[in-house]
Amino acid sequence: MENFNQTLPKRFILIGLSTIPHVQVIGFLLFLVMYIMTLVGNCLLLITVRTSPKLHTPMYFFLSNLSFIDISLSSTVAPVILMNTLSIDTSISVGGCVFQMFCYLVLGVAECVLLSVMAYDRFVAICRPLYYSSIMNMRFCIILALIPWIVGFINASIHVPLTWRLPFCRSHHVNHFFCEVPPFLRLSCIDPWLNEIAIYVSAVSIVMCCFLLTLISYIFIISSILRIRSSRVRHAVFSTCFSHLIVVSLYYGTLLSIYLHPPSSHSAEKDRIASVLYTVATPMLNPIIYSIRNKDVKKCIITNTKKIVMALSMPISPLSPNYRPRC
């Protein structure tokens, strides 16, 4: 323990997007726009599902959970990147780094598991339509919504203590935008073999299992869709799943590229690009993908937006209870 305390810096230095001033400004503006779009898009989707009785179904219940996770995941990472891009001091305390790493691991795994839950919901809706209401009742939906958070919490509770047991004697400069596990393994002055095993176990037991469950669900879904004789009905049914397929492809494509090969062989540059994709870009794209491909969501968003614009543009009558005379 004494040796560990001597090798653990009080603060770690995170790299910014660039050391070139004009590139810093461009990077800052780009990340700021992406973060604002993430917040606006996901919040609008949450409000739409909440205020539209037509969308009070299991499918949109899980979509609301996905939006909440996307907002939280992006807010865990994006503000730190924005501050470090233009700030001279890009350091972060050990406590702040541990907290960010823990939240990031919980939310990342929770989104992974939730995508599988959403695939199962589509499987029941398309392959077992007569039993959908009885299977996907409110109690079962709440249990399915809690499972991603439980799995994410257990995963983070394993990886964070394993990472911070390592002595970081090589450097206190982290070659990454935020506190993620792989860059810290490269700072250790001992072989992080246990951490590598834990990453592989998590990748196989959580990521690959969720991916396979999603894949199996869609094999049954596609086979059921192909048996539909009407091309119009077939297209309508497939359109309800296509948005989810795009989101799954974006998420797993970047996630598996990082965690399914040894940390020692990681390219720091590729890791940073992939991390930005699934922590900032994917949460921004998710509400756009679901809104564009889903007529119900699109219609409700347009209706709610018109109501908000009308409410803001409508002058307040003196007879209104919200009217306050000016002094």
Side-chain angles (χ1 to χ4, degrees):
M1 181 63 70
E2 182 181 354
N3 196 17
F4 173 80
N5 290 334
Q6 291 175 355
T7 57
L8 182 64
K10 292 182 178 180
R11 300 185 72 85
F12 286 92
I13 309 298
L14 299 172
I15 66 164
L17 294 175
S18 175
T19 56
I20 305 173
H22 69 273
V23 176
Q24 286 181 335
V25 174
I26 294 173
F28 177 85
L29 293 175
L30 179 63
F31 271 86
L32 182 61
V33 170
M34 292 172 70
Y35 182 53
I36 291 173
M37 288 180 65
T38 299
L39 295 180
V40 172
N42 284 286
C43 286
L44 187 59
L45 194 56
L46 278 171
I47 295 169
T48 300
V49 173
R50 178 68 179 174
T51 58
S52 304
K54 187 180 180 180
L55 302 183
H56 291 176
T57 62
M59 175 183 173
Y60 298 107
F61 171 71
F62 295 126
L63 183 57
S64 298
N65 280 267
L66 180 65
S67 291
F68 179 77
I69 291 175
D70 283 338
I71 291 171
S72 303
L73 181 62
S74 185
S75 298
T76 301
V77 175
V80 175
I81 297 176
L82 291 172
M83 286 189 295
N84 289 343
T85 300
L86 296 181
S87 176
I88 298 175
D89 181 15
T90 61
S91 66
I92 183 171
S93 66
V94 172
C97 201
V98 171
F99 179 76
Q100 186 186 54
M101 186 182 292
F102 188 88
C103 292
Y104 164 78
L105 288 172
V106 170
L107 295 165
V109 171
E111 180 158 348
C112 179
V113 179
L114 183 60
L115 290 174
S116 296
V117 170
M118 294 174 72
Y120 174 75
D121 172 70
R122 292 298 83 206
F123 162 76
V124 177
I126 294 171
C127 301
R128 302 287 187 272
L130 298 178
Y131 302 98
Y132 183 74
S133 298
S134 59
I135 294 174
M136 302 302 293
N137 55 70
M138 182 54 66
R139 181 183 177 185
F140 188 56
C141 287
I142 292 173
I143 292 172
L144 289 178
L146 288 175
I147 288 174
W149 292 98
I150 294 170
V151 175
F153 184 83
I154 293 172
N155 178 73
S157 299
I158 293 171
H159 286 289
V160 172
L162 280 178
T163 301
W164 292 95
R165 74 175 181 85
L166 297 172
F168 303 113
C169 55
R170 289 184 178 177
S171 174
H172 63 281
H173 287 76
V174 183
N175 192 14
H176 208 50
F177 301 137
F178 60 96
C179 297
E180 196 177 11
V181 173
F184 278 83
L185 301 187
R186 290 192 286 267
L187 299 181
S188 174
C189 53
I190 64 172
D191 184 14
W193 61 271
L194 184 59
N195 300 75
E196 294 185 11
I197 292 174
I199 288 175
Y200 276 115
V201 170
S202 293
V204 172
S205 62
I206 299 176
V207 181
M208 286 304 296
C209 283
C210 290
F211 178 75
L212 290 175
L213 286 172
T214 304
L215 183 63
I216 292 169
S217 296
Y218 272 100
I219 288 174
F220 283 103
I221 288 170
I222 292 171
S223 64
S224 297
I225 292 174
L226 292 176
R227 288 197 294 268
I228 300 174
R229 294 183 179 181
S230 172
S231 59
R232 184 178 61 84
V233 176
R234 192 187 309 127
H235 175 75
V237 173
F238 184 73
S239 65
T240 63
C241 305
F242 190 70
S243 300
H244 186 253
L245 277 172
I246 296 174
V247 172
V248 167
S249 302
L250 284 172
Y251 184 81
Y252 282 111
T254 52
L255 194 66
L256 294 177
S257 68
I258 291 182
Y259 287 102
L260 278 189
H261 55 90
S264 57
S265 65
H266 281 201
S267 166
E269 190 66 30
K270 291 181 180 179
D271 282 1
R272 289 197 295 269
I273 294 172
S275 296
V276 167
L277 283 175
Y278 71 82
T279 57
V280 181
T282 303
M284 176 192 70
L285 293 173
N286 284 351
I288 298 174
I289 293 169
Y290 279 108
S291 301
I292 290 174
R293 294 292 307 180
N294 194 303
K295 292 181 180 179
D296 291 335
V297 174
K298 192 191 303 184
K299 186 177 179 180
C300 291
I301 287 177
I302 292 172
T303 303
N304 286 341
T305 304
K306 287 181 179 179
K307 288 180 180 178
I308 293 171
V309 171
M310 289 178 62
L312 292 174
S313 59
M314 186 180 297
I316 300 177
S317 170
L319 300 178
S320 171
N322 294 326
Y323 175 74
R324 294 290 185 276
R326 294 182 180 180
C327 297

